[in-house]
Coordinates of all heavy atoms in Angstrom, one line a residue:
S18 N 96.5 107.8 253.9 CA 97.3 107.6 252.7 C 98.4 106.6 253.0 O 98.8 106.4 254.2 CB 97.9 108.8 252.1 OG 99.0 109.2 252.8
R19 N 98.9 105.9 252.0 CA 100.0 104.9 252.2 C 101.3 105.6 252.8 O 101.9 105.0 253.7 CB 100.3 104.3 250.9 CG 101.3 103.2 251.1 CD 101.6 102.5 249.7 NE 102.8 101.8 249.9 CZ 103.0 100.6 249.5 NH1 102.1 100.0 248.8 NH2 104.2 100.0 249.6
S20 N 101.7 106.8 252.3 CA 102.8 107.4 252.9 C 102.6 107.7 254.4 O 103.6 107.7 255.1 CB 103.3 108.6 252.1 OG 102.3 109.6 252.1
Q21 N 101.4 108.1 254.7 CA 101.1 108.4 256.1 C 101.3 107.1 257.0 O 101.8 107.2 258.1 CB 99.7 108.9 256.3 CG 99.3 109.1 257.8 CD 98.8 110.4 258.1 OE1 98.5 111.2 257.2 NE2 98.8 110.8 259.3
D22 N 101.0 106.0 256.4 CA 101.2 104.7 257.1 C 102.7 104.5 257.5 O 103.0 104.1 258.6 CB 100.7 103.5 256.3 CG 99.2 103.5 256.1 OD1 98.5 104.1 256.9 OD2 98.8 102.8 255.2
Y23 N 103.5 104.9 256.5 CA 105.0 104.8 256.8 C 105.4 105.8 257.8 O 106.2 105.5 258.7 CB 105.8 105.0 255.5 CG 105.7 103.9 254.6 CD1 105.1 104.0 253.3 CD2 106.4 102.7 254.9 CE1 105.1 102.9 252.4 CE2 106.3 101.6 254.0 CZ 105.7 101.8 252.8 OH 105.6 100.7 251.9
T24 N 105.0 107.1 257.7 CA 105.4 108.1 258.6 C 104.9 107.9 260.0 O 105.5 108.5 261.0 CB 105.1 109.5 258.1 OG1 103.7 109.6 258.0 CG2 105.8 109.8 256.8
D25 N 103.8 107.1 260.2 CA 103.3 106.8 261.5 C 104.0 105.6 262.2 O 103.8 105.3 263.3 CB 101.8 106.6 261.5 CG 101.0 107.9 261.3 OD1 101.6 109.0 261.5 OD2 99.9 107.8 260.9
C26 N 104.8 104.9 261.4 CA 105.5 103.7 261.8 C 106.6 104.0 262.8 O 107.4 105.0 262.6 CB 106.0 103.0 260.6 SG 106.9 101.5 260.9
W27 N 106.8 103.2 263.8 CA 107.9 103.4 264.8 C 109.2 103.4 264.1 O 110.1 104.2 264.5 CB 107.8 102.4 265.9 CG 108.1 101.0 265.5 CD1 107.2 100.1 265.1 CD2 109.3 100.4 265.4 NE1 107.8 98.9 264.8 CE2 109.2 99.1 265.0 CE3 110.6 100.8 265.7 CZ2 110.2 98.2 264.8 CZ3 111.7 99.9 265.5 CH2 111.5 98.6 265.1
S28 N 109.5 102.6 263.1 CA 110.8 102.5 262.5 C 111.1 103.8 261.8 O 112.3 104.3 261.8 CB 111.0 101.3 261.7 OG 110.0 101.2 260.7
Y29 N 110.1 104.4 261.1 CA 110.3 105.6 260.4 C 110.7 106.7 261.4 O 111.6 107.5 261.2 CB 109.0 106.0 259.7 CG 109.0 107.4 259.0 CD1 109.5 107.5 257.7 CD2 108.6 108.5 259.7 CE1 109.6 108.8 257.1 CE2 108.6 109.7 259.1 CZ 109.1 109.9 257.8 OH 109.1 111.1 257.3
K30 N 110.0 106.7 262.5 CA 110.2 107.7 263.6 C 111.6 107.6 264.2 O 112.3 108.5 264.5 CB 109.1 107.6 264.7 CG 107.8 108.1 264.1 CD 106.7 108.0 265.2 CE 105.4 108.5 264.6 NZ 104.3 108.4 265.5
E31 N 112.1 106.3 264.2 CA 113.4 106.1 264.7 C 114.5 106.6 263.7 O 115.5 107.2 264.1 CB 113.7 104.6 265.0 CG 113.0 104.2 266.3 CD 113.4 102.7 266.7 OE1 114.2 102.1 266.0 OE2 112.9 102.3 267.7
I32 N 114.2 106.5 262.4 CA 115.1 107.0 261.4 C 115.2 108.6 261.6 O 116.3 109.1 261.6 CB 114.6 106.6 260.0 CG1 114.9 105.2 259.8 CG2 115.4 107.5 258.9 CD1 114.3 104.6 258.5
I33 N 114.0 109.2 261.7 CA 114.0 110.7 261.9 C 114.8 111.1 263.2 O 115.5 112.1 263.2 CB 112.5 111.2 261.9 CG1 111.8 110.9 260.6 CG2 112.5 112.7 262.2 CD1 112.5 111.4 259.4
A34 N 114.6 110.3 264.2 CA 115.3 110.6 265.5 C 116.8 110.6 265.4 O 117.5 111.2 266.2 CB 114.8 109.6 266.6
L35 N 117.3 109.9 264.3 CA 118.8 109.9 264.1 C 119.3 111.2 263.7 O 120.5 111.5 263.9 CB 119.2 108.8 263.1 CG 118.9 107.4 263.5 CD1 119.1 106.4 262.3 CD2 119.8 107.0 264.7
G36 N 118.5 112.1 263.2 CA 118.9 113.4 262.9 C 119.7 113.6 261.6 O 119.7 112.7 260.7
E37 N 120.5 114.6 261.6 CA 121.2 115.0 260.3 C 122.1 113.9 259.8 O 122.2 113.8 258.6 CB 122.0 116.3 260.6 CG 122.6 116.8 259.3 CD 123.3 118.2 259.5 OE1 123.0 118.9 260.4 OE2 124.1 118.5 258.6
P38 N 122.8 113.1 260.6 CA 123.6 112.1 260.0 C 122.9 111.1 259.1 O 123.6 110.5 258.2 CB 124.2 111.4 261.2 CG 124.1 112.4 262.3 CD 122.9 113.2 262.1
V39 N 121.6 110.9 259.2 CA 120.9 110.0 258.3 C 120.6 110.6 257.0 O 120.2 109.8 256.0 CB 119.7 109.5 259.1 CG1 118.5 110.4 259.0 CG2 119.3 108.1 258.5
I40 N 120.7 111.9 256.8 CA 120.4 112.5 255.5 C 121.2 111.9 254.4 O 120.6 111.6 253.3 CB 120.6 114.0 255.6 CG1 119.6 114.7 256.6 CG2 120.5 114.7 254.2 CD1 119.9 116.1 256.8
S41 N 122.5 111.7 254.5 CA 123.3 111.1 253.5 C 122.8 109.7 253.1 O 122.8 109.4 251.9 CB 124.8 111.1 253.9 OG 125.3 112.4 254.1
F42 N 122.5 108.9 254.1 CA 122.0 107.6 253.9 C 120.7 107.6 253.0 O 120.5 106.9 252.1 CB 121.7 106.9 255.2 CG 120.9 105.6 255.0 CD1 121.6 104.4 254.6 CD2 119.6 105.5 255.3 CE1 120.9 103.3 254.4 CE2 118.9 104.4 255.1 CZ 119.5 103.2 254.7
I43 N 119.8 108.5 253.4 CA 118.5 108.6 252.7 C 118.7 109.0 251.2 O 118.2 108.4 250.3 CB 117.5 109.6 253.4 CG1 117.1 109.0 254.7 CG2 116.3 109.9 252.5 CD1 116.3 110.0 255.6
L44 N 119.6 110.0 251.0 CA 119.9 110.4 249.7 C 120.5 109.3 248.8 O 120.2 109.1 247.7 CB 120.8 111.7 249.7 CG 120.1 112.9 250.2 CD1 121.1 114.0 250.5 CD2 119.0 113.4 249.3
E45 N 121.4 108.6 249.4 CA 122.1 107.4 248.7 C 121.0 106.4 248.4 O 121.1 105.8 247.3 CB 123.2 106.8 249.5 CG 124.4 107.7 249.6 CD 125.1 108.0 248.3 OE1 124.9 107.3 247.3 OE2 125.9 108.9 248.2
E46 N 120.1 106.1 249.3 CA 119.0 105.2 249.0 C 118.1 105.7 247.9 O 117.7 104.9 247.0 CB 118.2 104.9 250.3 CG 118.9 104.1 251.3 CD 119.2 102.7 250.8 OE1 118.3 102.0 250.4 OE2 120.4 102.3 250.7
M47 N 117.9 107.0 247.8 CA 117.1 107.5 246.7 C 117.8 107.4 245.4 O 117.1 107.4 244.4 CB 116.8 109.0 247.0 CG 115.8 109.2 248.2 SD 115.6 110.9 248.6 CE 114.7 111.5 247.2
R48 N 119.1 107.3 245.4 CA 119.8 107.1 244.1 C 119.4 105.8 243.4 O 119.5 105.6 242.2 CB 121.3 107.2 244.3 CG 121.8 108.6 244.3 CD 123.3 108.6 244.3 NE 123.8 109.9 244.1 CZ 124.9 110.4 244.5 NH1 125.7 109.6 245.2 NH2 125.3 111.6 244.3
K49 N 119.0 104.8 244.3 CA 118.6 103.5 243.8 C 117.2 103.6 243.3 O 116.3 103.9 244.1 CB 118.8 102.4 244.8 CG 120.2 102.4 245.4 CD 120.2 101.4 246.6 CE 121.5 101.5 247.4 NZ 121.4 100.8 248.6
E50 N 116.9 103.3 242.1 CA 115.6 103.5 241.6 C 114.5 102.7 242.3 O 113.4 103.2 242.5 CB 115.5 103.1 240.1 CG 114.2 103.6 239.5 CD 114.3 103.8 238.0 OE1 115.5 104.0 237.5 OE2 113.3 103.9 237.3
E51 N 114.9 101.5 242.8 CA 113.9 100.7 243.5 C 113.6 101.3 244.9 O 112.6 100.8 245.6 CB 114.4 99.3 243.6 CG 115.6 99.1 244.5 CD 116.9 99.2 243.8 OE1 117.0 99.7 242.7 OE2 117.9 98.9 244.5
N52 N 114.3 102.3 245.4 CA 114.1 102.9 246.7 C 113.6 104.3 246.6 O 113.7 105.1 247.6 CB 115.4 102.9 247.5 CG 115.8 101.5 247.9 OD1 114.9 100.6 248.1 ND2 117.0 101.2 248.2
R53 N 112.9 104.7 245.6 CA 112.3 106.0 245.5 C 110.9 106.0 246.0 O 110.0 106.0 245.2 CB 112.4 106.5 244.0 CG 113.9 106.7 243.6 CD 114.0 107.3 242.3 NE 115.4 107.4 241.9 CZ 115.9 107.7 240.8 NH1 115.0 108.0 239.8 NH2 117.2 107.8 240.6
Y54 N 110.8 106.1 247.3 CA 109.5 106.1 247.9 C 109.1 107.5 248.4 O 110.0 108.3 248.9 CB 109.5 105.1 249.1 CG 109.8 103.7 248.7 CD1 111.0 103.1 249.2 CD2 109.0 103.0 247.9 CE1 111.3 101.8 248.9 CE2 109.3 101.7 247.6 CZ 110.5 101.1 248.1 OH 110.8 99.8 247.7
R55 N 107.9 107.8 248.3 CA 107.4 109.1 248.7 C 107.8 109.5 250.2 O 108.1 110.6 250.5 CB 105.9 109.2 248.6 CG 105.2 110.5 248.9 CD 103.8 110.5 248.6 NE 103.5 110.3 247.2 CZ 103.6 111.2 246.2 NH1 103.9 112.4 246.5 NH2 103.3 110.9 245.0
F56 N 107.8 108.5 251.1 CA 108.1 108.8 252.5 C 109.6 109.3 252.7 O 109.8 110.0 253.6 CB 107.9 107.6 253.4 CG 108.7 106.4 253.1 CD1 110.0 106.3 253.7 CD2 108.1 105.4 252.4 CE1 110.7 105.1 253.4 CE2 108.9 104.2 252.2 CZ 110.2 104.1 252.7
W57 N 110.5 109.1 251.7 CA 111.8 109.7 251.9 C 111.7 111.2 251.8 O 112.5 111.9 252.5 CB 112.8 109.1 250.8 CG 113.3 107.7 251.1 CD1 113.5 106.8 250.1 CD2 113.8 107.2 252.3 NE1 114.1 105.7 250.6 CE2 114.2 105.9 252.0 CE3 113.9 107.6 253.6 CZ2 114.7 105.0 252.9 CZ3 114.4 106.7 254.6 CH2 114.8 105.5 254.2
F58 N 110.9 111.7 250.9 CA 110.8 113.1 250.8 C 110.3 113.8 252.1 O 110.7 114.8 252.5 CB 109.8 113.5 249.6 CG 110.3 112.9 248.3 CD1 109.5 111.9 247.7 CD2 111.5 113.2 247.7 CE1 109.9 111.3 246.5 CE2 111.9 112.6 246.5 CZ 111.1 111.7 245.9
E59 N 109.3 113.1 252.7 CA 108.8 113.6 253.9 C 109.8 113.5 255.0 O 109.9 114.4 255.9 CB 107.5 112.8 254.3 CG 106.4 113.0 253.3 CD 105.2 112.2 253.6 OE1 104.9 111.8 254.8 OE2 104.5 111.8 252.6
A60 N 110.6 112.5 255.0 CA 111.7 112.3 256.0 C 112.7 113.5 255.8 O 113.1 114.1 256.8 CB 112.4 111.0 255.9
L61 N 113.1 113.7 254.6 CA 114.1 114.8 254.3 C 113.5 116.2 254.8 O 114.3 117.0 255.4 CB 114.5 114.8 252.9 CG 115.4 113.7 252.4 CD1 115.5 113.6 250.9 CD2 116.8 113.8 253.1
F62 N 112.3 116.4 254.5 CA 111.7 117.6 255.0 C 111.7 117.7 256.5 O 112.0 118.8 257.1 CB 110.2 117.8 254.4 CG 109.6 119.1 254.9 CD1 109.9 120.3 254.3 CD2 108.7 119.0 255.9 CE1 109.3 121.5 254.8 CE2 108.1 120.2 256.3 CZ 108.4 121.4 255.8
S63 N 111.3 116.6 257.1 CA 111.3 116.6 258.6 C 112.7 116.9 259.2 O 112.9 117.5 260.2 CB 110.8 115.2 259.1 OG 109.5 115.1 258.8
L64 N 113.7 116.3 258.5 CA 115.1 116.4 259.0 C 115.7 117.8 258.7 O 116.5 118.3 259.5 CB 116.0 115.3 258.4 CG 115.7 113.9 258.9 CD1 116.3 112.9 257.9 CD2 116.3 113.8 260.3
T65 N 115.3 118.4 257.6 CA 116.0 119.6 257.1 C 115.2 120.9 257.3 O 115.7 122.0 257.3 CB 116.4 119.5 255.7 OG1 115.2 119.5 254.9 CG2 117.3 118.3 255.4
G66 N 113.8 120.7 257.3 CA 113.0 121.9 257.3 C 112.9 122.6 256.0 O 112.4 123.7 255.9
Y67 N 113.4 121.9 255.0 CA 113.5 122.4 253.6 C 112.8 121.5 252.6 O 112.8 120.3 252.8 CB 115.0 122.5 253.3 CG 115.3 123.0 251.9 CD1 115.1 124.4 251.5 CD2 115.7 122.2 250.9 CE1 115.3 124.9 250.3 CE2 115.9 122.7 249.6 CZ 115.8 124.0 249.3 OH 116.0 124.4 248.0
D68 N 112.2 122.1 251.6 CA 111.6 121.3 250.6 C 112.3 121.7 249.3 O 112.1 122.8 248.8 CB 110.1 121.6 250.5 CG 109.4 120.7 249.5 OD1 110.0 119.9 248.8 OD2 108.1 120.8 249.4
A69 N 113.0 120.7 248.7 CA 113.8 121.0 247.5 C 113.0 121.0 246.3 O 113.5 121.4 245.2 CB 114.9 119.9 247.4
T70 N 111.8 120.6 246.3 CA 110.9 120.5 245.2 C 110.0 121.7 244.9 O 109.3 122.0 245.8 CB 110.0 119.2 245.3 OG1 110.8 118.1 245.6 CG2 109.2 119.0 244.0
P71 N 110.1 122.3 243.8 CA 109.2 123.4 243.5 C 107.7 122.9 243.5 O 107.5 121.7 243.1 CB 109.6 123.8 242.1 CG 111.0 123.3 241.9 CD 111.1 122.1 242.7
R72 N 106.8 123.7 243.9 CA 105.4 123.3 244.0 C 104.9 122.6 242.7 O 104.2 121.6 242.8 CB 104.6 124.5 244.3 CG 103.1 124.3 244.6 CD 102.4 125.5 245.0 NE 103.0 126.2 246.1 CZ 102.6 125.9 247.4 NH1 101.8 125.0 247.6 NH2 103.2 126.6 248.4
E73 N 105.3 123.1 241.6 CA 104.7 122.6 240.3 C 105.2 121.2 240.0 O 104.6 120.5 239.2 CB 105.0 123.5 239.1 CG 106.5 123.7 238.8 CD 107.2 124.8 239.5 OE1 106.6 125.4 240.4 OE2 108.3 125.1 239.1
D74 N 106.2 120.7 240.7 CA 106.8 119.4 240.4 C 106.4 118.4 241.5 O 106.8 117.2 241.5 CB 108.3 119.4 240.2 CG 108.6 120.1 238.9 OD1 107.8 119.9 237.9 OD2 109.6 120.8 238.8
R75 N 105.7 118.8 242.6 CA 105.4 117.9 243.6 C 104.4 116.8 243.1 O 103.5 117.1 242.3 CB 104.7 118.7 244.8 CG 105.7 119.6 245.5 CD 105.0 120.3 246.6 NE 106.0 121.2 247.1 CZ 105.7 122.3 247.8 NH1 104.4 122.6 248.0 NH2 106.6 123.2 248.2
G76 N 104.7 115.6 243.5 CA 104.0 114.5 243.0 C 104.7 113.7 241.9 O 104.4 112.6 241.6
N77 N 105.7 114.3 241.3 CA 106.5 113.7 240.2 C 107.7 113.1 240.9 O 108.7 113.8 241.1 CB 106.8 114.7 239.1 CG 107.6 114.1 238.0 OD1 108.5 113.3 238.2 ND2 107.3 114.6 236.8
I78 N 107.7 111.8 241.2 CA 108.7 111.2 242.0 C 110.1 111.4 241.3 O 111.1 111.6 242.0 CB 108.4 109.7 242.2 CG1 107.1 109.5 242.9 CG2 109.6 109.0 242.9 CD1 107.1 110.1 244.3
E79 N 110.2 111.2 240.0 CA 111.5 111.4 239.3 C 112.0 112.8 239.5 O 113.2 112.9 239.9 CB 111.3 111.0 237.8 CG 112.6 110.9 237.1 CD 113.4 109.7 237.5 OE1 112.8 108.7 237.8 OE2 114.7 109.8 237.4
K80 N 111.2 113.8 239.3 CA 111.7 115.1 239.4 C 112.0 115.5 240.9 O 113.0 116.1 241.2 CB 110.7 116.1 238.9 CG 110.6 116.2 237.4 CD 109.7 117.2 236.9 CE 109.7 117.3 235.4 NZ 108.8 118.4 234.9
M81 N 111.2 115.0 241.8 CA 111.4 115.2 243.2 C 112.7 114.6 243.6 O 113.5 115.2 244.4 CB 110.3 114.7 244.0 CG 108.9 115.4 243.8 SD 107.5 114.6 244.6 CE 107.9 114.8 246.3
T82 N 113.0 113.4 243.2 CA 114.2 112.7 243.5 C 115.4 113.5 242.9 O 116.4 113.8 243.7 CB 114.3 111.3 242.9 OG1 113.2 110.6 243.5 CG2 115.6 110.6 243.1
N83 N 115.3 114.0 241.7 CA 116.4 114.8 241.1 C 116.7 116.1 241.9 O 117.9 116.4 242.1 CB 116.2 115.0 239.6 CG 116.3 113.8 238.8 OD1 116.9 112.8 239.2 ND2 115.6 113.7 237.7
Y84 N 115.6 116.7 242.3 CA 115.8 118.0 243.0 C 116.5 117.7 244.4 O 117.5 118.4 244.8 CB 114.5 118.7 243.3 CG 113.9 119.4 242.2 CD1 112.6 119.0 241.7 CD2 114.5 120.4 241.5 CE1 112.1 119.7 240.6 CE2 114.0 121.1 240.5 CZ 112.7 120.7 240.0 OH 112.2 121.3 238.9
W85 N 116.1 116.6 245.1 CA 116.7 116.3 246.4 C 118.2 115.9 246.2 O 119.0 116.2 247.0 CB 115.9 115.3 247.1 CG 114.8 116.0 247.9 CD1 113.5 116.0 247.7 CD2 115.0 116.7 249.1 NE1 112.8 116.7 248.6 CE2 113.7 117.2 249.5 CE3 116.1 117.1 249.9 CZ2 113.6 117.9 250.7 CZ3 115.9 117.8 251.0 CH2 114.7 118.3 251.4
L86 N 118.5 115.1 245.2 CA 119.8 114.6 244.9 C 120.7 115.8 244.6 O 121.9 115.9 245.1 CB 119.9 113.6 243.8 CG 119.2 112.2 244.2 CD1 119.3 111.3 243.0 CD2 119.9 111.6 245.4
K87 N 120.2 116.8 243.8 CA 121.0 118.0 243.5 C 121.2 118.8 244.8 O 122.4 119.2 245.0 CB 120.2 118.8 242.5 CG 120.9 120.1 242.1 CD 120.1 120.8 241.0 CE 120.8 122.1 240.5 NZ 120.5 123.3 241.2
W88 N 120.2 118.9 245.6 CA 120.4 119.6 246.9 C 121.4 118.9 247.7 O 122.3 119.6 248.4 CB 119.0 119.7 247.6 CG 119.1 120.3 248.9 CD1 119.0 121.6 249.2 CD2 119.3 119.6 250.2 NE1 119.1 121.8 250.6 CE2 119.3 120.5 251.2 CE3 119.5 118.2 250.5 CZ2 119.5 120.2 252.5 CZ3 119.7 117.9 251.9 CH2 119.7 118.9 252.8
G89 N 121.4 117.6 247.8 CA 122.3 116.8 248.6 C 123.8 117.0 248.2 O 124.6 117.2 249.0
V90 N 124.0 117.1 246.9 CA 125.3 117.4 246.4 C 125.7 118.8 246.8 O 126.8 119.1 247.3 CB 125.4 117.2 244.9 CG1 126.7 117.7 244.3 CG2 125.2 115.7 244.5
E91 N 124.9 119.8 246.5 CA 125.2 121.2 246.8 C 125.4 121.4 248.3 O 126.3 122.2 248.7 CB 124.0 122.1 246.4 CG 123.8 122.2 244.9 CD 122.5 122.9 244.5 OE1 121.7 123.1 245.4 OE2 122.4 123.1 243.3
Q92 N 124.8 120.6 249.2 CA 124.9 120.8 250.6 C 126.1 119.9 251.2 O 126.3 120.0 252.4 CB 123.6 120.4 251.3 CG 122.5 121.3 251.0 CD 122.8 122.8 251.3 OE1 123.2 123.1 252.4 NE2 122.6 123.7 250.3
G93 N 126.7 119.1 250.3 CA 127.8 118.3 250.8 C 127.4 117.0 251.5 O 128.2 116.3 252.1
H94 N 126.1 116.6 251.3 CA 125.7 115.3 252.0 C 126.1 114.1 251.1 O 126.3 113.0 251.7 CB 124.2 115.3 252.2 CG 123.7 116.3 253.2 ND1 124.0 116.1 254.6 CD2 123.1 117.5 253.1 CE1 123.5 117.1 255.2 NE2 122.9 118.0 254.4
I95 N 126.1 114.3 249.8 CA 126.5 113.2 248.9 C 127.4 113.8 247.8 O 127.5 115.0 247.6 CB 125.3 112.5 248.3 CG1 124.4 113.5 247.5 CG2 124.6 111.7 249.3 CD1 123.3 112.9 246.7
K96 N 128.1 112.9 247.1 CA 129.0 113.4 246.0 C 128.4 113.0 244.7 O 127.7 112.2 244.5 CB 130.4 112.7 246.2 CG 131.1 113.2 247.4 CD 132.5 112.5 247.5 CE 133.1 113.0 248.8 NZ 134.4 112.4 249.0

């Protein structure tokens, strides 16, 4: 799949290797509509071990983004 192409990429792996400090950056990027890519969700899951999206909304990029942004605010990663 296309998202797997990203997650197998060395630059994606380097982003994940940055750990928790990169979570705020990813969430801020997701606020920009042009940066709502499926691989950000996978990156957040890899970094947090948490999936903010209910099963019934997986695949809906808009809803997934909103769940993660809400989670980011609740966890203090973004304002």
Side-chain angles (χ1 to χ4, degrees):
S18 79
R19 184 181 163 137
S20 63
Q21 174 127 16
D22 292 342
Y23 286 112
T24 59
D25 287 341
C26 177
W27 66 268
S28 57
Y29 174 87
K30 291 177 181 179
E31 285 188 1
I32 290 170
I33 299 303
L35 294 172
E37 188 174 338
V39 80
I40 293 172
S41 297
F42 169 79
I43 291 172
L44 292 168
E45 289 295 345
E46 286 299 300
M47 288 174 67
R48 278 189 167 152
K49 304 172 191 170
E50 190 153 344
E51 68 274 10
N52 288 335
R53 293 186 179 171
Y54 301 116
R55 182 173 301 277
F56 62 84
W57 283 141
F58 305 114
E59 294 174 34
L61 288 167
F62 179 77
S63 293
L64 289 161
T65 66
Y67 178 74
D68 187 353
T70 306
R72 184 176 305 271
E73 64 270 11
D74 290 325
R75 290 184 189 154
N77 182 321
I78 300 297
E79 189 69 30
K80 286 184 177 183
M81 292 170 69
T82 299
N83 290 335
Y84 285 120
W85 274 107
L86 293 176
K87 181 177 184 269
W88 176 88
V90 170
E91 291 170 352
Q92 299 300 309
H94 291 288
I95 57 174
K96 295 180 181 182

